Amino acid sequence: MIVTGSASQALAAALARELEEPLAPVSYDRFPDGELLAAVPGFDADRAVIVASTVSSEAHLELLQLQDAVREAGAEEVVTVLPYMGYGRQDKAFDRGQPISARAVARAISTGADRVLTVNPHEAAVCDFFEPVAETIDAAGRLAEPLPDDLAEPVFLSPDAGAIELAETVRDAYGEGDVDYFEKVRHSGTEVEITPSDVAVEERDVVVVDDIIATGSTMSEAIAVLGERGVSRVFVSCVHPLLVRDAYAKLSSAGVEAIYGTDTIERPASAVSVAPTVATHLE
Ligand code: R5P
C-alpha cells in the first residue's frame, strides 16, 4: 500500500496509479497541547511505501509517525520515499557548535525504514547518512517533458558547475541543444553573483536547470545576465520547486518565460510528475 505524507499527496496518488497499489487513508488529529497524531487506520499490506517530502519540521515528525504506524499495523517492509529531503542542504557543520542536520534527520528516518529512496538530493553524500544507505533516484530527465517543442537552438545552462549533469540530463531527454554552466559565487542566503559562460546565447532559447529553486536569487541573477546578452526566451527548470519568499515575483520581474518543476514539492510550478521514474525503483 502507498501511504502519503500531507505534503506529497499528488505524487503519492500518481505513484499508486503507476504501481497499481491502493492508497492507504491517513487520519490526522491534534491533542489539546498541539501535538500531532497521524495514523493509518485502514492500512493492511505487507509492504508500506511512504511518500513524504520533508518540507517542514512538522512534515518530518509526521513521517516518523507514519513509519511507526504502518509497522504497528503489521507492515513487514517499510519503504520511505523522500521526494524532497528537507534539511538536505545542511550537510556540514559550517561553524563550530553547529549540527549536521542532514545526518540528524537521516538517522531518525532510518530507524523506521527498511529502505529509503530520495530524488535528486542536493549532495549525493547525504545518502550515506542513512542506515542502510539511501538510494538516489535521478528524475531530472522528466524536466524535458513540459518544455515547448519549438525551442530555438536551445542552450541548457546550469547556474554552477555542480548542476551541469542535471543540465546534460535534461538536454539528452529533450533531444537537442548545447550544454554549459555559469560560475556562481554566493555572498549570502539571498545574494549570488553569476559569471557568464562562454557559450553563444544571442537569439537562442535558454533553459537554466538547477536542482532546487529556493529564494529564486540564483535563477533571477542568471536570467539578468542572459538578458544582457541578447537571448531569446529564458525558461527555468528545477527538480525541487521550493519557491519560498518572493521567488515567483523575482523570477517574473527578471523576465522568465516559464518556470517548470516536478511534484517532489507541490507548487503551481510542478509541471511534471516524477512518479514514473520513482515507480521503476519500486516494481
Ligand atoms: C545550491 O547550490 C543549489 O543548487 C541551488 O542553486 C540553490 O539552492 C538555489 O537557491 P536560491 O533559489 O535561494 O538561489
Side-chain angles (χ1 to χ4, degrees):
M1 281 184 111
I2 310 296
V3 180
T4 179
S6 53
S8 300
Q9 297 178 54
L11 173 54
L15 189 62
R17 284 194 295 277
E18 288 285 335
L19 294 172
E20 297 182 358
E21 285 191 35
L23 264 173
V26 180
S27 70
Y28 293 93
D29 208 345
R30 281 201 187 269
F31 290 95
D33 58 3
E35 285 184 354
L36 176 70
L37 179 63
V40 284
F43 183 85
D44 181 19
D46 289 339
R47 181 176 82 158
V49 177
I50 304 174
V51 185
S53 283
T54 46
V55 290
S56 64
S57 305
E58 179 103 342
H60 269 104
L61 183 71
E62 182 192 286
L63 170 59
L64 299 181
Q65 289 190 332
L66 291 174
Q67 288 179 320
D68 209 64
V70 293
R71 197 78 80 179
E72 277 293 306
E76 283 168 18
E77 185 188 12
V78 179
V79 181
T80 293
V81 179
L82 294 171
Y84 173 72
M85 179 190 168
Y87 288 88
R89 288 184 290 171
Q90 292 189 34
D91 58 344
K92 293 180 187 66
F94 298 96
D95 222 334
R96 185 177 157 78
Q98 287 186 356
I100 300 177
S101 303
R103 183 179 63 193
V105 297
R107 283 177 175 163
I109 292 166
S110 295
T111 59
D114 299 302
R115 254 181 101 188
V116 177
L117 298 91
T118 187
V119 179
N120 293 94
H122 178 60
E123 290 290 344
V126 296
C127 292
D128 296 340
F129 292 144
F130 292 86
E131 174 59 49
V133 169
E135 298 158 50
T136 300
I137 299 173
D138 182 4
R142 304 286 303 149
L143 289 169
E145 199 171 288
L147 290 171
D149 293 334
D150 64 347
L151 291 181
E153 295 184 70
V155 183
F156 294 81
L157 280 174
S158 62
D160 56 40
I164 193 158
E165 282 179 17
L166 290 179
E168 277 168 356
T169 303
V170 181
R171 187 275 312 272
D172 292 349
Y174 187 75
E176 60 166 313
D178 294 325
V179 175
D180 206 342
Y181 65 93
F182 290 106
E183 297 287 349
K184 175 169 105 175
V185 180
R186 181 174 284 282
H187 296 299
S188 72
T190 53
E191 280 174 64
V192 294
E193 189 183 330
I194 299 277
T195 311
S197 69
D198 291 334
V199 70
V201 291
E202 208 168 302
E203 293 183 20
R204 300 175 75 176
D205 285 333
V206 174
V207 182
V208 191
V209 185
D210 207 350
D211 58 338
I212 302 169
I213 302 177
T215 64
S217 306
T218 303
M219 285 298 196
S220 52
E221 186 62 25
I223 296 164
V225 166
L226 290 166
E228 288 162 12
R229 303 180 74 203
V231 289
S232 181
R233 298 175 293 178
V234 182
F235 300 85
V236 299
S237 291
C238 66
V239 179
H240 308 296
L242 260 180
L243 294 160
V244 294
R245 299 185 183 166
D246 61 343
Y248 281 101
K250 251 189 212 159
L251 294 171
S252 173
S253 319
V256 73
E257 188 76 17
I259 308 167
Y260 299 122
T262 79
D263 58 356
T264 61
I265 299 176
E266 294 176 0
R267 295 281 190 267
S270 302
V272 67
S273 179
V274 299
T277 311
V278 174
T280 61
H281 293 255
L282 294 168
E283 281 157 349

